[in-house]
Structures are given as C-alpha cells and as structure tokens.
Amino acid sequence: MTAQPPHDRDSLLAFLAERRIAQTTHDHPAVFRVEEGLDLKAAMPGAHTKNLFLKDKKGRLWLISARQDTVIDLKAAPKRIGSDRLSFGNETLMWETLGVRPGSVTALGLINDVERRVTFVLDQRLWEADIVNFHPLTNTATTALGQTEFRRFLAAIGREALVIDFATAVDA
C-alpha cells in the first residue's frame, strides 16, 4: 500500500484538541459492520453512523455518512446526490483519500482528503442530531461530537456537506 496518511487516530484527536473541538472517544473491540456494534453503541448517547465509500461510473468518489438505521438505496442515490451509477470504492482508493481501511470508514477521514477528491454526503438525520458518533480513523474506538463541534470540524478542514434527506421518496 501507499505511505501512511497525514493523520491517524492520535493526530486526529490532537487536531481536535488544538482547535478546542470537544469530543469523547470510547475504546472498544473492533467493529466491522453496524450490526456488530449495537450492544456497544447502546451505552453511548447520540446518533450512530454508517459510512459508505463509493465511486461512480465517471470515477468520482463519494462518502455517504448516515444514521445507522437509515436505508441507503444505491440505485436511487445517484439521482439524489447528482452522481453517476455507484459502486463501492476499493481499499486502495479508501486508503489514498481517507487514510482508513475497510471497517473504519468515517467522516473524520475527510481530514486526510487534502486533495478534496471525495464528495461528502450527509444524511439529514445526522445533520440534525445533537450528538454524532464516528470512528476516529480506526474501528477500535468511537468518537462522539456535539453537532456544533462536528460542524466546527468540517469548517476546520474546509469541507461542506451535501445534506440529503434519504428518508423521503425519490421521484421516478
């Protein structure tokens, strides 16, 4: 694989601390799928997430972050987000752009996307949640951020979210 990305868990948490972006990080056994961590998440307040790293037919990269219980229809998503047909991005692209491995995909990985290759799509329900929970670049921990703190993180890395309401029906 390629060289180590500029940020790992420790430097991400240092980045947040330097900017006085409050967070709480809980260590736990590795979690690879939403279903595996339900018991762990029950004890942590806030909206828990699922994160999809996608590539469209034209080669554009997408990160969709949604509440863990939000249904993301990959056939309907292109119309919603303005992409071409979507498929999952491969591990090499994930590492090159977000600095994470499969199972650790997270919106916090955008800190490593310095070339802005990935378009960030955020579920409306996460945008409205009081607390959001993401992996801190590794799936052996969960980092909780208040909504204001999460938005401060996005501003600090110069990113905006394309906020989509995945709960509403799509016109045919």
Side-chain angles (χ1 to χ4, degrees), residues 44-49 67-68 125-126 129-134:
M44 296 179 215
H48 292 274
T49 59
R67 275 182 58 126
Q68 68 181 5
R125 295 169 65 209
L126 280 185
D130 292 336
I131 298 170
V132 292
N133 292 282
F134 292 100

Side-chain angles (χ1 to χ4, degrees), residues 8 22 26 76-77 81 90 98 100 118 120 125 130 137 140 142 148 167:
D8 59 10
H26 304 274
I81 68 176
N90 68 42
L98 300 178
V100 297
V118 179
F120 181 45
R125 295 169 65 209
D130 292 336
L137 309 180
T140 58
T142 297
T148 300

Side-chain angles (χ1 to χ4, degrees), residues 39-168:
D39 55 331
L40 296 169
K41 295 172 187 174
M44 296 179 215
H48 292 274
T49 59
K50 64 179 168 188
N51 298 274
L52 307 176
F53 179 70
L54 305 165
K55 181 178 179 179
D56 73 14
K57 198 169 130 185
K58 294 181 180 173
R60 291 172 54 202
L61 302 177
W62 302 83
L63 172 62
I64 298 178
S65 293
R67 275 182 58 126
Q68 68 181 5
D69 56 350
T70 298
V71 175
I72 306 294
D73 179 347
L74 291 182
K75 289 185 179 174
K79 185 171 186 174
R80 300 203 104 140
I81 68 176
S83 74
D84 208 314
R85 187 171 43 94
L86 294 164
S87 60
F88 287 96
N90 68 42
E91 182 176 352
T92 300
L93 275 174
M94 186 184 301
W95 180 253
E96 288 174 0
T97 56
L98 300 178
V100 297
R101 303 282 184 209
S104 298
V105 178
T106 172
L108 300 178
L110 292 167
I111 194 171
N112 287 322
D113 183 25
V114 294
E115 295 177 12
R116 307 246 187 310
R117 292 172 59 193
V118 179
T119 300
F120 181 45
V121 179
L122 187 69
D123 178 9
Q124 177 80 37
R125 295 169 65 209
L126 280 185
W127 188 247
E128 295 170 351
D130 292 336
I131 298 170
V132 292
N133 292 282
F134 292 100
H135 289 310
L137 309 180
T138 176
N139 65 352
T140 58
T142 297
T143 296
L145 296 160
Q147 188 59 244
T148 300
E149 303 304 299
F150 179 57
R151 293 181 190 192
R152 285 183 58 217
F153 165 74
L154 291 175
I157 62 168
R159 298 302 290 260
E160 290 185 20
L162 171 60
V163 179
I164 301 291
D165 183 357
F166 287 102
T168 60

